[in-house]
Amino acid sequence: MGKVSLAIQLLRNMGVRYVMYRIYFMVKTRLGVLKRQFPEELPEFEFPSLAKWRDSNSNFFIDFEEVKIEKYSEEALHELAENVKRIHEGEIQFFSYEWFKVTDWFTHPVSGYVYPKVHFTEIEDFSEKNGDIKYAWEKARFSWVYTLIRYQKQTGNNQATFIFEQIERFINENPLNIGPQYKCSQEMSLRVFNWTFVLFFYKNDSALTETLYNKILKSISGHYHHVYHNINFSRIAVRNNHAITETLALHLISKWYPFLPNSSKWGKKGKAWFEEEVAYQLYEDGGFLQYSHNYHRVVVQLLTWALLQAKKDNETYKPVVKQRAKVSYQFLQLLVQKGNGWLPNYGQNDGALFFPLNAMQFRDYRPQLNALASVLNLNTGKARFEDEAWYGIKGNVAKEPSEESGLFSFDSYGQYVMKDSTSLTVINNPSYFNRPAQSDQLHLDIHVNGQNILFDPGTYKYNTDKEFIDFFFGTGGHNTVQLGIANQMLKGARFIWYNWVKETGNRANLRDGLYEYTGWYNGFVKETGGMRIERKVIKHENKLSWVIFDTIDTRTKHELMKVHWNVLPIYQKVVHIKAFDEEGEPVHKQERKAWNSTHYGRKEEFNQIEFSTSGNYIRTEITINEDIINSSVFS
């Protein structure tokens, strides 16, 4: 009966359309229908010769002859050159962090598993033995080409031959729809985006021969065919940044290669679907349905490409596209930390950065946000970054503005922000009507002087040991209340959660220099049948002190009440945390092993601070030494 109950809940949460499509897709896969629908060879078609294509007006939104990039410092150029050398030697930087030697397109560089050269429908993407398939996809996304192109722009050292050799090698060794590189339509879309950047950048380079040009266009046509005929999987079964990427790909590919079969029809459909996905996935208050800042940045980059191409073509999208792009920028920009550009490590973070057009640190969101702001003609007053130069956005470098302060409520998204001259405080408490990412209700993030003092531990990996899945995705890894070892929601397989938190309440105000937030939710359904948890946060403006009151429903029996706080060792000498029970008696502080993941695939161990009680109430007082706010520990 438990399984039946969960199945009914899945039906209610995800909808009949989702469940029926999943069943339909599974049946088509098992009967071999998808094999026939996605063949290894497609009918031949005619397209312009290389000479004619070169003589035609560029369909790409960037005029590379007009791109002017400021010279790097000697140190930055040396680092770039070292990275280029590593790429030439067969290494790839995975998830903007870790380098691995990659000899082919099939071997997992960590597990050593070699994916078979079979039809993509026969390949497992989630397997304990195989490891995380994202590792097999990273090189084949071709985002590393931007490192080489940026290097060429700085030094004049031509990279065309090496890049085209790698593209040709991919095409030769990965027949259409065969192998792991065709498992994900988003990865295929990104590969075409990045190949297109290469093609137009090297449009007149001698390394691009007629034979190679024909081979690349034939492969792009095959990718295009696959994405179109598999689009419902992303629009129904996945419906997140994948759907935005793929629908935009259908539209933009029709602009870049109007001679491809069905490009006019598929492009028009792609545009309509893209507009629909933007309106559905980006909330009116600026939030994003994946509850992830990094995935939100993915959409920011896609919106930038879409709006720039539309401007070049003198085309318009429905007003909702620009409106949601604007509020997305305003929401994310509010959370940017002055000095380093970091945001809270909120939600799933798989290291995705599709178009790395700068030398900044991966966690720095400013280059991508500034580019979108410039496209939207927002008077941001922000300094320009390299992305804008590559996009041909011209303008004077401006001084950084003063920090915006105040109390900000994003009720649709379920995030509440206290911001003043000394700190940023963020509280999460969404009502889930779209699929949850993590069980982190009422998690509290604190940033001081650009440093994440109390933090979200990140994601680590999607396919890893249960211990790490439970910690990084679950309640125990977050700065919030936990009952025993339970999660606020029930974890299912892969990305599924049951017992979604849907009943919540939030109230926030700023009065006479006092920030006050109160939020509650009904959770822990499996353990208690549903229990109300309430958190109240009080903070004085421009003071580094917080008082947090956590209360649970006294009418319901429950496991031991725990409150966790993630503080790295480097900050523990300046951060002071005390807790008290309902009688005002101190609650004993304990420490337990925990992990922090600032980049996908990377984790570092630390000791999480924990307070626990058999009662129903804990008051926590957090203070940070104000006299050392500008000391080296925060620089």
Side-chain angles (χ1 to χ4, degrees):
M1 287 301 294
K3 290 183 179 180
V4 172
S5 175
L6 292 179
I8 293 171
Q9 190 181 142
L10 181 67
L11 182 65
R12 288 174 177 169
N13 286 341
M14 303 302 295
V16 174
R17 184 172 181 241
Y18 167 88
V19 173
M20 294 305 295
Y21 182 81
R22 278 287 189 179
I23 295 170
Y24 168 72
F25 191 85
M26 180 182 67
V27 171
K28 283 177 66 179
T29 302
R30 292 187 176 180
L31 293 179
V33 175
L34 289 181
K35 270 191 176 182
R36 295 189 292 274
Q37 188 177 359
F38 296 96
E40 187 175 338
E41 289 286 343
L42 294 175
E44 295 290 334
F45 67 95
E46 291 187 11
F47 46 84
S49 67
L50 176 58
K52 188 174 181 180
W53 179 70
R54 281 172 167 162
D55 289 339
S56 65
N57 291 327
S58 174
N59 297 319
F60 198 50
F61 64 87
I62 300 174
D63 182 352
F64 287 109
E65 291 184 1
E66 296 295 320
V67 171
K68 307 296 182 186
I69 308 296
E70 291 185 10
K71 284 294 182 182
Y72 286 8
S73 67
E74 187 175 334
E75 180 182 1
L77 188 58
H78 176 74
E79 181 180 353
L80 180 61
E82 287 297 310
N83 290 342
V84 168
K85 181 182 177 183
R86 297 182 79 163
I87 292 171
H88 276 272
E89 292 173 350
E91 290 189 79
I92 296 295
Q93 190 177 35
F94 281 62
F95 319 120
S96 303
Y97 159 63
E98 191 170 11
W99 291 84
F100 288 102
K101 188 90 170 179
V102 184
T103 57
D104 56 38
W105 315 96
F106 304 93
T107 304
H108 192 299
V110 178
S111 71
Y113 178 78
V114 180
Y115 287 88
K117 295 184 181 180
V118 297
H119 196 269
F120 75 91
T121 56
E122 300 175 39
I123 292 175
E124 288 185 276
D125 50 359
F126 272 79
S127 165
E128 202 170 307
K129 175 187 68 174
N130 302 356
D132 193 333
I133 197 172
K134 286 179 63 61
Y135 281 82
W137 289 340
E138 191 72 3
K139 179 182 179 181
R141 182 181 285 181
F142 282 84
S143 290
W144 49 266
V145 299
Y146 295 99
T147 299
L148 302 181
I149 289 174
R150 285 172 38 236
Y151 177 71
Q152 177 170 333
K153 198 71 174 176
Q154 289 290 325
T155 66
N157 189 327
N158 193 296
Q159 301 295 305
T161 299
F162 178 80
I163 293 175
F164 281 128
E165 282 176 352
Q166 292 299 307
I167 293 176
E168 184 171 24
R169 183 183 164 200
F170 176 91
I171 295 170
N172 290 341
E173 297 176 9
N174 293 270
L176 182 63
N177 294 319
I178 303 298
Q181 306 306 342
Y182 298 96
K183 188 69 178 175
C184 176
S185 294
Q186 183 184 40
E187 294 297 323
M188 296 176 66
S189 300
L190 295 174
R191 188 154 50 244
V192 173
F193 282 170
N194 295 331
W195 283 1
T196 298
F197 195 101
V198 169
L199 277 175
F200 281 97
F201 185 81
Y202 291 113
K203 185 174 184 178
N204 297 306
D205 196 286
S206 60
L208 181 60
T209 64
E210 187 83 37
T211 301
L212 180 57
Y213 162 78
N214 288 324
K215 185 177 289 188
I216 293 174
L217 284 185
K218 182 179 178 181
S219 183
I220 287 175
S221 179
H223 280 59
Y224 194 35
H225 178 277
H226 180 116
V227 172
Y228 176 79
H229 287 284
N230 203 36
I231 195 65
N232 281 338
F233 186 83
S234 290
R235 297 194 67 232
I236 300 173
V238 180
R239 198 136 206 212
N240 56 21
N241 73 93
H242 285 235
I244 292 179
T245 306
E246 293 166 36
T247 56
L248 180 62
L250 291 174
H251 178 52
L252 294 188
I253 292 170
S254 74
K255 297 288 185 181
W256 300 331
Y257 310 104
F259 45 78
L260 293 182
N262 300 300
S263 63
S264 178
K265 180 179 74 171
W266 293 356
K268 288 177 182 176
K269 287 188 175 184
K271 180 182 179 182
W273 289 333
F274 173 70
E275 292 169 331
E276 183 181 325
E277 292 302 326
V278 168
Y280 178 77
Q281 295 192 35
L282 295 171
Y283 299 159
E284 291 183 2
D285 62 2
F288 175 49
L289 96 170
Q290 272 190 275
Y291 304 100
S292 160
H293 292 335
N294 189 59
Y295 282 147
H296 203 163
R297 177 171 61 174
V298 162
V299 177
V300 162
Q301 284 201 303
L302 294 169
L303 286 166
T304 302
W305 278 42
L307 294 171
L308 282 168
Q309 187 69 44
K311 182 178 180 181
K312 181 185 186 305
D313 297 334
N314 197 26
E315 182 182 34
T316 58
Y317 290 104
K318 287 181 178 179
V320 69
V321 174
K322 274 194 172 181
Q323 188 272 331
R324 298 296 163 84
K326 180 179 178 180
V327 294
S328 288
Y329 164 77
Q330 292 169 336
F331 168 66
L332 293 172
Q333 179 63 28
L334 178 70
L335 300 174
V336 169
Q337 293 297 288
K338 189 174 182 179
N340 62 16
W342 286 34
L343 267 70
N345 200 11
Y346 173 58
Q348 292 173 353
N349 181 354
D350 67 352
L353 185 60
F354 294 167
F355 318 120
L357 285 165
N358 61 78
M360 310 296 282
Q361 213 271 357
F362 163 75
R363 290 283 301 275
D364 190 341
Y365 280 57
R366 292 173 298 178
Q368 297 81 32
L369 289 175
N370 277 33
L372 178 61
S374 296
V375 174
L376 293 169
N377 295 317
L378 298 177
N379 184 20
T380 63
K382 288 285 186 181
R384 291 178 61 232
F385 293 92
E386 190 175 346
D387 296 52
E388 294 163 86
W390 278 106
Y391 294 146
I393 300 169
K394 297 180 174 64
N396 295 323
V397 177
K399 294 180 180 179
E400 290 223 26
S402 59
E403 289 283 325
E404 185 177 10
S405 296
L407 179 66
F408 306 89
S409 299
F410 300 91
D411 294 319
S412 297
Y413 193 50
Q415 259 192 15
Y416 299 85
V417 180
M418 303 172 180
K419 192 170 185 180
D420 57 30
S421 64
T422 60
S423 64
L424 173 77
T425 305
V426 184
I427 306 157
N428 308 322
N429 194 34
S431 298
Y432 288 112
F433 298 99
N434 288 298
R435 187 187 316 192
Q438 299 180 354
S439 186
D440 59 358
Q441 219 72 20
L442 291 176
H443 168 82
L444 178 71
D445 242 59
I446 293 177
H447 301 245
V448 177
N449 200 31
Q451 303 299 307
N452 200 172
I453 307 301
L454 267 65
F455 60 90
D456 184 308
T459 299
Y460 182 44
K461 291 180 181 178
Y462 293 149
N463 188 11
T464 184
D465 297 343
K466 183 178 183 301
E467 175 185 19
F468 301 129
I469 292 288
D470 288 345
F471 178 81
F472 287 105
F473 288 73
T475 306
H478 292 87
N479 298 324
T480 190
V481 172
Q482 185 178 27
L483 301 184
I485 61 171
N487 286 316
Q488 299 154 340
M489 299 178 285
L490 178 62
K491 187 74 178 76
R494 298 176 66 166
F495 299 111
I496 296 294
W497 287 95
Y498 298 101
N499 302 335
W500 290 7
V501 169
K502 295 184 177 181
E503 297 177 28
T504 67
N506 298 283
R507 185 175 69 254
N509 60 69
L510 171 60
R511 187 181 298 113
D512 299 327
L514 186 70
Y515 293 98
E516 185 173 317
Y517 164 84
T518 302
W520 63 268
Y521 68 91
N522 191 49
F524 298 102
V525 172
K526 180 178 183 293
E527 291 73 23
T528 67
M531 174 179 287
R532 177 175 168 133
I533 311 291
E534 182 177 292
R535 167 165 280 187
K536 182 176 182 179
V537 181
I538 295 177
K539 181 189 185 302
H540 286 279
E541 193 171 15
N542 300 323
K543 297 290 184 182
L544 295 180
S545 62
W546 295 257
V547 182
I548 300 98
F549 304 87
D550 289 308
T551 309
I552 62 178
D553 192 332
T554 58
R555 296 168 297 177
T556 309
K557 287 186 177 181
H558 59 82
E559 297 288 334
L560 197 66
M561 176 186 182
K562 302 176 181 178
V563 181
H564 310 123
W565 301 108
N566 295 329
V567 184
L568 290 177
I570 189 175
Y571 301 130
Q572 289 183 9
K573 62 184 178 182
V574 299
V575 179
H576 309 283
I577 305 178
K578 297 184 292 185
F580 305 88
D581 63 18
E582 52 199 336
E583 303 297 329
E585 294 297 319
V587 178
H588 178 63
K589 181 174 76 172
Q590 298 174 304
E591 293 186 353
R592 68 164 189 155
K593 184 170 68 172
W595 301 271
N596 180 33
S597 177
T598 58
H599 294 74
Y600 193 78
R602 169 189 181 181
K603 69 180 189 307
E604 297 172 336
E605 189 174 313
F606 74 101
N607 288 329
Q608 183 187 67
I609 295 171
E610 179 181 279
F611 298 96
S612 61
T613 178
S614 57
N616 307 298
Y617 170 94
I618 292 179
R619 182 181 89 249
T620 307
E621 297 178 359
I622 301 173
T623 58
I624 299 174
N625 294 358
E626 295 193 28
D627 59 333
I628 60 170
I629 196 170
N630 295 316
S631 69
S632 60
V633 74
F634 291 102
S635 60

